[in-house]
């Protein structure tokens, strides 16, 4: 989650302290997604280091997928998820977080 905060236009913990529900929703969904991927990689791996590597690679894949979907949404519908989440629009936080949730389910099924 710390790595993810470097790529957003805001600081997750600061925004959550300030009561930004959209950031909190996105953070919780991303955390649950990472936990799900880690649990699936542990179940399917013979070694803990392999599981951690799979989790890291999965995080990178989720990051790339999120970037692609956000670019498509911005181009097609002028929907800027990062800006909406920073402004506290909960719907944007749900969309941004659910991208990771869906991605985690797909990646988990592939493990």
């Amino acid at each position: 989650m710390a790595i993810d905060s470097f790529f957003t236009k805001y600081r997750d913990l600061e925004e959550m302290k300030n009561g930004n529900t959209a950031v909190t929703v996105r953070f919780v969904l991303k955390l649950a997604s990472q936990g799900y991927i880690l649990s699936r990689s542990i179940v399917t791996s013979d070694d803990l280091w392999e599981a951690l590597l799979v989790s890291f690679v999965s995080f990178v894949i989720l990051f790339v997928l999120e970037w692609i979907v956000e670019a498509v949404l911005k181009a097609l519908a002028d929907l800027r998820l990062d800006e909406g989440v920073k402004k506290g629009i909960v719907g944007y936080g749900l969309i941004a977080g659910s991208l990771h949730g869906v991605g985690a389910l797909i990646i988990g099924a592939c493990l």
Side-chain angles (χ1 to χ4, degrees):
M1 296 305 294
I3 295 170
D4 176 65
S5 68
F6 289 120
F7 296 102
T8 58
K9 297 177 181 175
Y10 51 86
R11 297 288 173 238
D12 290 339
L13 296 178
E14 286 180 30
E15 291 293 328
M16 288 189 288
K17 284 180 190 177
N18 293 332
N20 189 329
T21 307
V23 172
T24 305
V25 166
R26 180 182 177 273
F27 184 88
V28 168
L29 288 170
K30 288 184 72 137
L31 186 61
S33 300
Q34 289 300 315
Y36 178 73
I37 288 174
L38 181 59
S39 70
R40 292 293 303 150
S41 65
I42 289 171
V43 167
T44 58
S45 299
D46 296 328
D47 183 306
L48 180 60
W49 292 110
E50 179 185 356
L52 293 175
L53 179 63
V54 168
S55 292
F56 179 77
V57 170
S58 298
F59 172 78
V60 171
I61 292 169
L62 284 177
F63 177 75
V64 170
L65 289 175
E66 180 184 30
W67 182 79
I68 290 170
V69 171
E70 284 184 1
V72 169
L73 289 174
K74 184 178 176 183
L76 294 179
D78 197 32
L79 188 67
R80 301 166 194 271
L81 293 181
D82 250 4
E83 292 175 16
V85 171
K86 185 176 180 178
K87 290 179 183 176
I89 303 171
V90 177
Y92 283 40
L94 284 168
I95 293 169
S98 68
L99 294 175
H100 282 267
V102 170
L105 291 172
I106 292 168
I107 289 170
C110 294
L111 296 177

